[in-house]
Amino acid sequence: MARAPDAGKKRWIQGPEPIQGPDVPYQNIRKSNPPVRGWLNLTTSVLLLEWFGFIRTIIWQNTGFANLRKLQVHIENTPPRFDPTVVPFPEPSREAKKDLANGSNGHALAKKLLRKYYTVADYHRLYLSGELTPTAVAKAILPLIRKDTSPPGQHSIAFFDSKVDLVLAAAEASTLRYKEKRPLGPLDGVPTAIKDEYDIEGYITCLGSKNDYTGKPKDGSSITSWCVKKLEEAGAINVGKLHMHEFGLDTSGNNPFKGTPPNPYNSQYYTGGSSSGCAYAVSTGLVPIALGGDGGGSIRIPASFCSVYGLKPSHGRLSFKPALNHSSTCAVNGPIASDIHSLSAMYQVLGAPDEESLFAAPSPTLLTPSANRKKVLGICEAWFSRATPAIQTLCRSMLDRLVSEHGYTLVDIKIPFLPEGQTAHAMTVLTDAATLLPVTKGLTPANRIMLALGNVTPSTDFLLAQKLRHVLMQHLAWLWMQHPGMVIVTPTTACAGWKVGKPVDLKYGISDGDQTLKTMEYVWMGNFCGLPSISVPAGFVVPEGRKGEGEVAEEGVQGKVPVGLMGMGEWATEEELLWFGGDCEDIGQERSSTPPIWVDVVERAKEEMKRTS
């Protein structure tokens, strides 16, 4: 049903009717499930779950999936909603559906950052001035990331593969364009890297597994994914494919098959996942932008854990063509970047709609805020308070400064069925995955455990989950009718990072449902309800095992663990979220810093130019 805010006009295509949800008290009562680690425990668990249906059913119920039945009286009369795509009305004209890869007319100038990260704008400026060339940058990066050298590159742990000939060919073509003063736009020559779930000509796709899932060309056409193609057309230099959590089915970034990138700030912690390699590559300074994917926080969680910026667009906003969306009711493509300007520049290129999309292209004035924009922040206190005290302190201090320095207003909101909504999202994703992967041979034991649970979801419970999705979307539409332009704010995660429990976890994997739920406490809603969401750095906490562990970390603390603040907007309000992110960047810079393993790619490239001149 489309929403009609004024007479005769509909605002949304497939928009939920704004209906306030039930006024029920917030309750989060979950049974704890111990982590499963080590080869013997993981293998035994897989065998028991795959061979004995009654054990699968017991574990399925212990996870809380059956609790949705308790909500039946509240949601039974709401039709199920399987697709959370909501498109602004009216349909954009064909003239508006143009590729904006060739410029950023009207963009606000990139701000000077206090922390030492090179942005998209920095690279573009250096190329225009002739101080650097894309070829020199590519040659500076490649020795750091290649696995086929002896020894492997220092940062190759984050990379699945890098095709040197393809990288250098693209870099040399970009260098020639700058020499002839005909660059394609702000991304021309800028190094980037791609998560190993996108098909790219010349590369195989494994989705973080041992198996080959590379797409098959149709009628001789290219298999390269739409988003990758847009980056290539904009002149960006893809330096390689990045590691990910196998199939994106968990949030640590642990991958015993392909490699687990360590957290750049503290090697005893995970990067977060599933876009683990993306966050590592951006956080270490190897690239200013990377292409990730997000089906349950897989962009925002690693962005938070690695102190960078991540944007999860509205559902259906970015094209998956020519491949299919393997988690079609929850997953999206999206960027991770070192700063808001770079995030915006990448999103503008990725957002070019394909020929079947109903979405308009991103505005060419993406980072030029409207003087009349709403500055309203919504907080659901019961939900916000699920985070650790230090995370709350850091996030609330940022919100206070947004109010005092940028004119925002805080409003208290209530959202029903939050724990149940997280359960419904998990049930949906696991059932999707189990349907997609009926044969689990060769997969990690941790994922086989989750797929076994997805295999026993009753159809009636799955339908209840989709009914709850619809109720939540209706309530959110009602909230935005009460508070137009509101950004719902929470911490990105309820926990400060995810520490590697034992060395054996890196060898065989880990299944820790309790920790996974903490990381996904807030991010699930954006995926389940199709909303855009952004994670921005909020500060650091003292790591586990150190004096004052879990407290807010001062600047000199070694091994400090990054945390993030998340904003979630109404459908198709990516632009407003980027404005919000820019305000957060302004106030958060003094508490930001680069990790100890940060790489000065620009200096390395300058040395390369001296060597070859």
Side-chain angles (χ1 to χ4, degrees):
M1 183 179 293
R3 201 175 82 182
D6 46 51
K9 290 187 179 181
K10 295 179 180 179
R11 189 178 173 191
W12 305 112
I13 298 171
Q14 300 181 30
E17 186 176 0
I19 300 175
Q20 184 179 12
D23 185 11
V24 294
Y26 179 88
Q27 290 183 320
N28 198 326
I29 303 173
R30 286 196 180 105
K31 294 180 180 179
S32 179
N33 290 283
V36 182
R37 57 166 43 95
W39 180 86
L40 181 60
N41 289 335
L42 285 165
T43 303
T44 302
S45 298
V46 168
L47 292 175
L48 290 173
L49 286 167
E50 290 184 345
W51 283 89
F52 299 101
F54 75 94
I55 294 179
R56 289 199 298 272
T57 301
I58 292 172
I59 301 299
W60 185 90
Q61 292 176 338
N62 197 60
T63 61
F65 289 144
N67 290 345
L68 297 187
R69 299 168 188 173
K70 299 176 183 178
L71 306 185
Q72 189 145 353
V73 65
H74 297 292
I75 65 177
E76 60 185 354
N77 293 322
T78 302
R81 176 147 185 167
F82 301 94
D83 183 358
T85 304
V86 177
V87 183
F89 189 88
E91 181 179 3
S93 67
R94 289 296 164 188
E95 289 73 24
K97 297 176 97 176
K98 58 185 180 180
D99 190 341
L100 293 177
N102 291 334
S104 55
N105 297 330
H107 252 252
L109 293 176
K111 294 172 288 190
K112 184 66 176 176
L113 300 180
L114 296 179
R115 64 177 183 172
K116 195 174 181 181
Y117 270 104
Y118 295 113
T119 68
V120 162
D122 290 329
Y123 280 102
H124 190 53
R125 174 181 53 80
L126 290 165
Y127 295 154
L128 288 173
S129 70
E131 294 179 67
L132 280 187
T133 66
T135 299
V137 168
K139 288 183 176 180
I141 295 172
L142 283 170
L144 298 172
I145 65 175
R146 291 178 61 178
K147 289 184 178 292
D148 60 347
T149 57
S150 183
Q154 178 185 352
H155 298 283
S156 60
I157 185 64
F159 281 79
F160 167 59
D161 194 10
S162 184
K163 302 295 186 184
V164 176
D165 54 340
L166 297 179
V167 175
L168 291 179
E172 288 162 4
S174 178
T175 297
L176 181 61
R177 289 192 293 270
Y178 276 100
K179 183 179 180 180
E180 297 177 347
K181 301 189 184 307
R182 53 180 183 87
L184 298 174
L187 290 193
D188 200 350
V190 175
T192 186
I194 313 296
K195 185 179 182 181
D196 177 33
E197 66 177 336
Y198 292 87
D199 282 330
I200 307 173
E201 288 289 344
Y203 288 85
I204 65 170
T205 301
C206 293
L207 298 167
S209 79
K210 293 193 295 186
N211 304 328
D212 185 347
Y213 296 99
T214 309
K216 302 296 186 291
K218 298 177 181 178
D219 303 322
S221 59
S222 172
I223 64 169
T224 299
S225 297
W226 176 269
C227 287
V228 178
K229 190 180 298 182
K230 293 298 107 180
L231 290 172
E232 291 176 348
E233 291 172 359
I237 311 300
N238 172 28
V239 298
K241 295 191 81 173
L242 295 158
H243 284 322
M244 60 179 286
H245 201 110
E246 187 185 48
F247 291 106
L249 282 179
D250 209 344
T251 59
S252 67
N254 179 301
N255 190 322
F257 289 159
K258 298 296 185 179
T260 302
N263 190 293
Y265 288 87
N266 187 326
S267 62
Q268 300 303 308
Y269 279 73
Y270 292 112
T271 56
S274 62
S275 304
S276 50
C278 294
Y280 179 97
V282 173
S283 181
T284 54
L286 293 167
V287 295
I289 51 176
L291 179 58
D294 194 316
S298 291
I299 285 174
R300 293 158 292 160
I301 292 169
S304 171
F305 283 3
C306 295
S307 195
V308 291
Y309 295 80
L311 177 68
K312 179 250 169 229
S314 302
H315 192 82
R317 181 67 185 81
L318 303 186
S319 176
F320 278 80
K321 287 188 172 182
L324 297 176
N325 182 347
H326 297 305
S327 180
S328 60
T329 73
C330 291
V332 299
N333 304 324
I336 291 178
S338 61
D339 64 289
I340 284 292
H341 187 276
S342 298
L343 192 73
S344 170
M346 188 177 188
Y347 169 69
Q348 187 179 62
V349 168
L350 298 176
D354 64 42
E355 65 278 3
E356 296 181 3
S357 175
L358 295 176
F359 286 95
S363 167
T365 58
L366 198 58
L367 275 187
T368 305
S370 166
N372 300 319
R373 70 176 173 123
K374 304 290 185 182
K375 291 187 172 184
V376 180
L377 303 176
I379 299 183
C380 179
E381 278 293 342
W383 197 23
F384 198 104
S385 299
R386 293 281 296 170
T388 67
I391 293 176
Q392 290 188 56
T393 297
L394 288 167
C395 291
R396 291 183 193 276
S397 67
M398 286 191 72
L399 299 180
D400 290 342
R401 291 188 61 188
L402 286 172
V403 170
S404 62
E405 298 176 28
H406 286 273
Y408 283 83
T409 300
L410 295 173
V411 297
D412 185 52
I413 61 172
K414 292 183 178 180
I415 304 174
F417 306 135
L418 289 168
E420 295 86 355
Q422 185 178 6
T423 298
H425 166 261
M427 180 194 297
T428 300
V429 170
L430 290 182
T431 305
D432 279 350
T435 304
L436 179 69
L437 297 165
V439 178
T440 62
K441 182 179 180 180
L443 306 187
T444 58
N447 272 350
R448 291 174 69 177
I449 289 172
M450 288 195 284
L451 292 170
L453 296 179
N455 266 318
V456 294
T457 300
S459 58
T460 50
D461 291 271
F462 186 81
L463 284 174
L464 285 175
Q466 311 320 308
K467 285 174 175 282
L468 180 54
R469 187 204 301 256
H470 200 172
V471 169
L472 289 169
M473 291 179 69
Q474 289 177 333
H475 181 81
L476 290 164
W478 176 82
L479 281 176
W480 273 301
M481 190 170 66
Q482 311 305 309
H483 307 290
M486 174 181 64
V487 174
I488 298 174
V489 287
T490 65
T492 307
T493 65
C495 57
W498 185 334
K499 189 174 183 181
V500 179
K502 295 182 179 181
V504 71
D505 297 349
L506 300 177
K507 186 174 182 179
Y508 300 112
I510 176 71
S511 179
D512 188 348
D514 288 359
Q515 187 69 11
T516 298
L517 288 173
K518 292 176 184 176
T519 64
M520 297 179 67
E521 177 72 39
Y522 307 107
V523 294
W524 64 268
M525 181 174 284
N527 300 96
F528 199 47
C529 298
L531 304 167
S533 179
I534 190 170
S535 178
V536 301
F540 301 86
V541 302
V542 179
E544 293 179 32
R546 297 286 298 275
K547 182 179 179 182
E549 66 175 69
E551 298 178 358
V552 174
E554 301 298 330
E555 185 175 351
V557 173
Q558 297 296 312
K560 57 189 178 182
V561 181
V563 298
L565 172 70
M566 190 174 74
M568 186 165 55
E570 196 172 16
W571 298 276
T573 57
E574 287 84 357
E575 189 167 350
E576 288 82 351
L577 284 180
L578 289 166
W579 296 341
F580 164 78
D583 290 338
C584 292
E585 186 178 51
D586 279 340
I587 63 174
Q589 286 202 63
E590 70 271 14
R591 62 172 68 166
S592 66
S593 64
T594 51
I597 61 172
W598 181 80
V599 179
D600 194 328
V601 169
V602 167
E603 284 303 312
R604 288 178 61 93
K606 288 180 178 179
E607 289 298 319
E608 175 64 26
M609 291 187 70
K610 290 178 183 177
R611 187 181 67 81
T612 57
S613 63

